Amino acid sequence: MVWVLSGDAPVADVNEYAVLGAMADKADADGCGSWLAKETIAARVHISEETVKRCWRNMLRRGLIAKGDQNLVRHYRADRRPVVYDLLIPYGWFSNVDRVNAERSRLGRDPLTPQDRPNIAPAPVKPGRADKGKPRPRQEKTPEGKNPRGNSETPRGETPAEPHGGTTSRPRGNYKSSTGELEDPQYSPCTQSSNPEDQAPTARAVGDARRASAGSSASGRDGGCAAADGARAPDRGSRRGTGAKAGRVELTTDQAAAVATVTAAWPAELAVLLPAYASRLKEVREAVLAGLAGGRTAEQLAERVRRRWWEHGYAMDAAEGGKGIGSAVGVAVGLVRPPTDCPNPMCEDGTVIDTDRPCRTCALRREDRKAARRQGQVPGPRGEAGPAAVWWECVGEDCDATGKGTRPEDGLCWRCHDRVEAEVIERATEGLRAQRDAEYAVEAERARAAVRWTAMVDGAYAENAEREAAKDAAVRARRAVETEETRRLREQLAAEHPELVTYAQRSDDQSVTAPF
């Protein structure tokens, strides 16, 4: 990021500067591993997606960026997978290249070298204007002093119709404005009905003491509406648009916030299967609005999504080895849609939300259904669909769940199966933990034995060193005694036989002056 903000990156224009800065913000210290999508960059730096793509092409061509390790985004869905880019920051720019290479080594990357990251050529100079520095030619004027390009007044093609509650002004070409001189009708969209019974009283009609100025549109003769008689006021409570937006559901600010809260509660397994515009789909918005109309808050709807994801079995379907999710949008709508099988409006999937107690109506219905299934009865006609699916009951302890279809081999529902599987895993984990503890004990004993052996060897070496030191000290003492005894004997001989000393000195002098 500093490479871009410091101005050292050779960008060609401000668009490349903004795009490269957004990419550097998400890259590693060595410039690698940036995978922002073009939509994200365009929204962040306020440019178009085509501009982002053009900047990418130019920077790739000039060597500012290059495609990096695409395995970094393999966890994304294939059709929504962004491209990984590396910022080719020159080797000579790094002041702490050793630390950068250490981090690259930790991430499994090769160290940076001057050959891998050479200097980047400066950006091409933007050509200047051809008329830069040249004086602009003066415009010739007619003798009357008018511009030869003509009058800027725009002529009207036809006479305007009589105004209907609108305002009027002078014809075009008059640049001065004066109060009370509005004559041309200035039409506006109809916001009221011409029927007096359908019109709500305005603030002026209720008793506003202020008086509109002359020519004000607030004092129109027909209530300030420019629509024809018999026009109907638009429905303010309607959420549907018109024209090009006829298939969309328009939301207020509070409704949009509720939709955002609910869509944020979608599980990650479902979110990767939904399109990026899922929160703007008509079906999703209508399901959220229906939930809000049923007396639920956005937080309660988000909790409903998380609860149904597990209770309705979608988590098992989306898990590895499951049957999968056929329609992600249908599942998203089903997670939000209000329940329709209980007449109690406060019932939330079998629980009354204001008392937090089980719904009695739902409990009675479940008992009736269980009794009917035990008797082999299946509610509702099936026509020619074939034999009814078999209902079975879970054999788990303290579990009254039922299932439909093929009975599992262990006779357990998915909750009990997960619990039993967790217990098996826990027992296996305990065995592995005990085995690991035993191995750790053996390794600890080996380590202690190695420490003891090392200490013993060090002690033997120290004892031998002390013994050798004592022997050396004894040798030095003996030599000192011998030297001292030799000196004493020499002094005694010199004292008793001085002629020997004279002879020894004469012999020494002759040996020094010998001609050889």
Side-chain angles (χ1 to χ4, degrees), residues 407-437:
R407 182 185 183 91
E409 296 180 358
D410 53 5
L412 300 176
C413 62
W414 66 272
R415 291 191 185 89
C416 295
H417 181 79
D418 288 350
R419 184 175 65 252
V420 172
E421 189 177 49
E423 293 174 355
V424 173
I425 293 174
E426 181 64 24
R427 288 194 297 269
T429 304
E430 291 179 357
L432 293 175
R433 189 181 299 113
Q435 182 180 357
R436 184 192 60 187
D437 293 342

Side-chain angles (χ1 to χ4, degrees), residues 143-385:
E144 291 79 5
K146 295 183 179 180
N147 195 317
R149 297 177 64 183
N151 190 358
S152 60
E153 176 183 350
T154 304
R156 297 184 178 275
E158 57 182 7
T159 304
E162 287 294 329
H164 181 72
T167 58
T168 58
S169 62
R170 285 187 176 184
R172 297 185 182 179
N174 180 18
Y175 63 93
K176 294 184 179 181
S177 172
S178 58
T179 305
E181 294 186 357
L182 299 176
E183 297 177 358
D184 271 357
Q186 306 294 327
Y187 299 104
S188 60
C190 177
T191 57
Q192 294 180 345
S193 172
S194 60
N195 187 359
E197 298 179 358
D198 296 339
Q199 297 179 6
T202 63
R204 300 183 189 276
V206 172
D208 190 355
R210 297 176 297 174
R211 184 180 63 182
S213 61
S216 173
S217 61
S219 59
R221 293 175 298 174
D222 296 328
C225 179
D229 293 342
R232 184 177 181 182
D235 184 7
R236 294 180 181 269
S238 175
R239 301 187 303 271
R240 297 187 180 276
T242 58
K245 299 182 179 180
R248 295 178 56 185
V249 177
E250 301 298 333
L251 304 177
T252 63
T253 303
D254 295 339
Q255 291 172 345
V259 171
T261 301
V262 174
T263 54
W266 281 335
E269 297 85 349
L270 178 62
V272 298
L273 300 177
L274 291 169
Y277 53 87
S279 60
R280 301 192 298 270
L281 290 176
K282 170 184 174 183
E283 295 81 0
V284 174
R285 290 189 172 186
E286 286 182 347
V288 175
L289 295 177
L292 296 175
R296 305 296 191 269
T297 63
E299 290 73 15
Q300 290 174 339
L301 294 180
E303 181 62 27
R304 175 189 292 175
V305 169
R306 289 187 285 266
R307 183 183 64 255
R308 288 183 177 179
W309 175 254
W310 289 97
E311 291 186 352
H312 291 191
Y314 296 125
M316 298 296 296
D317 295 340
E320 184 177 358
K323 67 179 182 180
I325 294 178
S327 174
V329 176
V331 171
V333 173
L335 294 176
V336 183
R337 182 176 296 165
T340 58
D341 55 349
C342 184
N344 186 0
M346 301 305 294
C347 176
E348 182 66 26
D349 294 338
T351 303
V352 181
I353 58 176
D354 54 352
T355 62
D356 199 19
R357 294 181 178 178
C359 178
R360 183 172 178 80
T361 304
C362 293
L364 293 176
R365 294 186 63 184
R366 283 195 298 269
E367 293 296 334
D368 294 341
R369 290 180 179 178
K370 287 183 180 180
R373 294 185 188 119
R374 293 190 188 98
Q375 297 176 3
Q377 300 176 2
V378 179
R382 292 189 175 272
E384 302 298 332

